[in-house]
Amino acid sequence: DIQMTQSPSSLSASVGDRVTITCRASQSISSYLNWYQQKPGKAPKLLIYAASSLQSGVPSRFSGSGSGTDFTLTISSLQPEDFATYYCQQSYSTPIFTFGPGTKVDIK
Amino acid sequence: QVQLQESGPGLVKPSETLSLTCTVSGGSISSYYWSWIRQPPGKGLEWIGYIYYSGSTNYNPSLKSRVTISVDTSKNQFSLKLSSVTAADTAVYYCARLVVAATGAWFDPWGQGTLVTVSS
């Protein structure tokens, strides 16, 4: 089974900060990595697919990079509406899918 | 655009079967994959399984013995049944469209989710 880890598990940041979240796979998953944002009480929302492709309608301050086992989600300038929990998800082992444990971004 | 809405009982007794339905609106259920994902309170996301509109399925190995996902194309709905539930199955259950492409597979969009509590 492919295991996903994320670091940090939580972080505190200020509006305008550059934020980077890391997702690591237990084996190479090429670029089969997606990122979601979840706000409290809401469903997750797709931000990035295939490691670096921005989903339609998602602000350009979000970007994704990486391949193999190490991936990053970057928010170039944190906005008030970006405080949320972020999850990565791998699809390399399709038809089995796994999510990372999440990274909570809150206000410093 | 496509919207999904979960429905079903919010309370299920231990050892009984959890049953939920997801209604797809704004588009046809045909030609796509559809999935169930759950999230225990305060915890992360767990993929449960998916179904193709034709009826073929795949399930999370950890739940496979208890899960059945079915589709009703005439109603634009797909459903989840989870048998022999325990308190550990208490979670928010989401339905989502599974987009499958050459570059991978991802869940988009999602329903709003429904909380199912397992308790006597």
Side-chain angles (χ1 to χ4, degrees):
Chain A
D1 292 6
I2 298 177
Q3 308 299 321
M4 307 300 293
T5 58
Q6 289 182 234
S7 61
S9 57
S10 65
L11 66 90
S12 296
S14 300
V15 172
D17 284 353
R18 181 181 181 88
V19 170
T20 299
I21 298 168
T22 297
C23 177
R24 178 164 291 171
S26 59
Q27 66 182 73
S28 177
I29 58 170
S30 185
S31 295
Y32 294 97
L33 191 283
N34 311 306
W35 290 97
Y36 301 85
Q37 175 193 64
Q38 185 179 34
K39 296 181 180 179
K42 300 295 187 182
K45 171 189 170 185
L46 178 69
L47 296 177
I48 302 284
Y49 61 93
S52 60
S53 295
L54 192 67
Q55 172 67 348
S56 176
V58 174
S60 59
R61 63 181 179 273
F62 291 93
S63 64
S65 65
S67 66
T69 59
D70 295 326
F71 302 85
T72 58
L73 173 70
T74 299
I75 310 172
S76 61
S77 177
L78 195 68
Q79 298 302 299
E81 60 268 30
D82 301 337
F83 292 97
T85 300
Y86 294 85
Y87 293 93
C88 59
Q89 172 246 320
Q90 67 83 20
S91 66
Y92 180 84
S93 62
T94 297
I96 306 300
F97 305 100
T98 49
F99 291 88
T103 294
K104 184 177 181 180
V105 176
D106 61 23
I107 302 172
K108 181 184 270 186
Chain B
Q1 73 259 15
V2 172
Q3 294 184 309
L4 295 84
Q5 178 69 57
E6 305 88 350
S7 60
L11 181 64
V12 180
K13 290 182 168 56
S15 79
E16 295 190 345
T17 296
L18 177 160
S19 296
L20 295 173
T21 295
C22 183
T23 301
V24 178
S25 59
S28 174
I29 203 167
S30 297
S31 303
Y32 284 101
Y33 294 84
W34 305 91
S35 193
W36 288 96
I37 297 150
R38 70 180 184 179
Q39 184 172 38
K43 296 188 177 181
L45 300 163
E46 179 180 34
W47 171 72
I48 298 171
Y50 71 74
I51 188 164
Y52 193 45
Y53 78 100
S54 63
S56 61
T57 56
N58 262 294
Y59 301 132
N60 187 324
S62 69
L63 297 169
K64 187 174 184 176
S65 63
R66 299 193 292 130
V67 173
T68 302
I69 298 176
S70 58
V71 64
D72 186 338
T73 54
S74 67
K75 295 182 178 179
N76 239 31
Q77 294 177 334
F78 63 104
S79 298
L80 169 71
K81 290 189 185 299
L82 181 66
S83 64
S84 305
V85 298
T86 69
D89 296 309
T90 294
V92 175
Y93 286 76
Y94 296 100
C95 58
R97 184 174 63 181
L98 174 61
V99 178
V100 178
T103 50
W106 49 86
F107 303 99
D108 180 68
W110 297 56
Q112 66 183 28
T114 188
L115 175 63
V116 179
T117 301
V118 178
S119 176
S120 55

